[in-house]
Amino acid sequence: MPLPSHVPEIGALDLLLSVARLGSLGRAAREHGISQPAAASRIRNMERLIGVPLIVRSATGSRLTDEGAVIADWAGRVVDAAAALDAGITALREQQASRIQLACSMTIAEYLLPGWLAEVRRRVPAAAIGLQVVNSSKVAELVLGGGADLGFVEGADVPAGLESQVLAQDELLLVVPPGHAWARRSRPVPAAELAATPLISREPGSGTRYVLDHELERLGHRSRSAPIMELSSTTAIKAAAEAGIGPAVLSSLALAEDVASGKLVVVPTEGLNLGRRLRLVLRAGEQLPPALRDVVAAITAAARGDEARRATHTRRDRGGGPPPRP
């Protein structure tokens, strides 16, 4: 319901309390950051609104009338309640700012995000993290629509309305089980042959599917053989490939252990660029609250550490030493 017509605004009531406490309209005006004439005008307006005199001014200062003292007593409770309301609102906003909702593509969620979130926990222990694991196109939808504060995607393009930051590099690899004919072939698989081969594939909208389809289309192979099956889980695709159902193209992040153990064999390809960048996405132009900035900084630092470690392992695997000093 609307406030009664004789109730002054809280700022005017607070000014009246300052006059009572300081004994001077001028000092009360300075405390509120306004001029003395502006303070006097505010008191006169309040007197007209209430219908009684509130202060008496003299050469030695200002004092409240008897009616003013009664109003000040009531006003103190109103101002205290307003201060309590403001403190509650501030606490609620701070709590809301520390609750971060993430949306993450499946490969990143399974193979990179756990380490990144460990760094978030170390640096921003008060942050409460919520996570939705979906494919890359759905991640973009959630961030654009406000359903997530941050997103992590694998696709080559970032939709309009989002800005991105590259966190990691990845490469898609063609794999088959050891008993597959391609595991023993001496020549790489060309793009045309790969396009004509039914694969175990991720669903449309996934970053992995997008990168492969986009690269084959770039090379002129717009029509592809239909997948043997479409699965929304990288783990399920690996299991299907290991069972001999068919070849698959998956992230190098997801394949490291399976290739090292001999469950799957990497088949070289020819003429295909299947490298990709893994990105953090945010709504373009949005001012981030402090808690969210801290989370972004923690994830960025963790991702850089991962990339440095992978680069070191790659050099060692190739027989190289540390990089030369400048």
Side-chain angles (χ1 to χ4, degrees), residues 256-279:
E257 292 185 6
D258 300 85
V259 171
S261 66
K263 294 179 181 178
L264 291 172
V265 176
V266 175
V267 181
T269 58
E270 185 176 60
L272 288 156
N273 178 9
L274 296 178
R276 62 179 181 171
R277 295 173 177 177
L278 310 181
R279 304 171 188 267

Side-chain angles (χ1 to χ4, degrees), residues 287-303:
Q287 185 69 32
L288 301 183
L292 190 53
R293 288 200 302 269
D294 292 343
V295 169
V296 170
I299 289 173
T300 300

Side-chain angles (χ1 to χ4, degrees), residues 110-112 173 175 178 234-235 238 242 250-266 317:
E110 189 168 359
Y111 297 100
L112 293 175
L173 301 175
V175 291
T234 298
T235 302
K238 289 193 297 181
E242 291 168 9
L250 290 170
S251 163
S252 62
L253 297 169
L255 293 169
E257 292 185 6
D258 300 85
V259 171
S261 66
K263 294 179 181 178
L264 291 172
V265 176
V266 175
D317 292 343

Side-chain angles (χ1 to χ4, degrees), residues 174 176 180 182-183 185-197 199 267-272:
L174 173 62
V176 296
H180 193 279
W182 282 2
R185 66 183 289 159
S186 58
R187 290 170 25 180
V189 175
E193 186 177 357
L194 185 61
T197 301
L199 302 175
V267 181
T269 58
E270 185 176 60
L272 288 156

Side-chain angles (χ1 to χ4, degrees), residues 160-269:
L162 296 178
E163 57 187 49
S164 70
Q165 175 183 334
V166 175
L167 294 177
Q169 306 288 337
D170 187 26
E171 183 182 8
L172 300 183
L173 301 175
L174 173 62
V175 291
V176 296
H180 193 279
W182 282 2
R184 299 180 297 277
R185 66 183 289 159
S186 58
R187 290 170 25 180
V189 175
E193 186 177 357
L194 185 61
T197 301
L199 302 175
I200 307 166
S201 178
R202 282 288 304 276
E203 79 287 358
S206 78
T208 299
R209 174 77 171 262
Y210 174 86
V211 170
L212 178 60
D213 287 350
H214 185 76
E215 179 63 7
L216 289 173
E217 287 180 10
R218 185 186 71 83
L219 296 172
H221 305 290
R222 298 189 178 278
S223 60
R224 288 186 54 198
S225 179
I228 299 173
M229 59 177 60
E230 291 180 349
L231 301 172
S232 61
S233 162
T234 298
T235 302
I237 292 175
K238 289 193 297 181
E242 291 168 9
I245 293 174
V249 174
L250 290 170
S251 163
S252 62
L253 297 169
L255 293 169
E257 292 185 6
D258 300 85
V259 171
S261 66
K263 294 179 181 178
L264 291 172
V265 176
V266 175
V267 181
T269 58

Side-chain angles (χ1 to χ4, degrees), residues 116-186:
W116 297 350
L117 292 183
E119 183 66 9
V120 170
R121 182 66 178 168
R122 189 182 72 81
R123 292 190 178 205
V124 198
I129 302 295
L131 175 64
Q132 299 181 67
V133 179
V134 292
N135 64 37
S136 290
S137 62
K138 183 62 176 178
V139 169
E141 290 178 17
L142 286 169
V143 177
L144 280 170
D149 302 299
L150 302 176
F152 304 91
V153 297
E154 307 163 22
D157 297 328
V158 175
L162 296 178
E163 57 187 49
S164 70
Q165 175 183 334
V166 175
L167 294 177
Q169 306 288 337
D170 187 26
E171 183 182 8
L172 300 183
L173 301 175
L174 173 62
V175 291
V176 296
H180 193 279
W182 282 2
R184 299 180 297 277
R185 66 183 289 159
S186 58

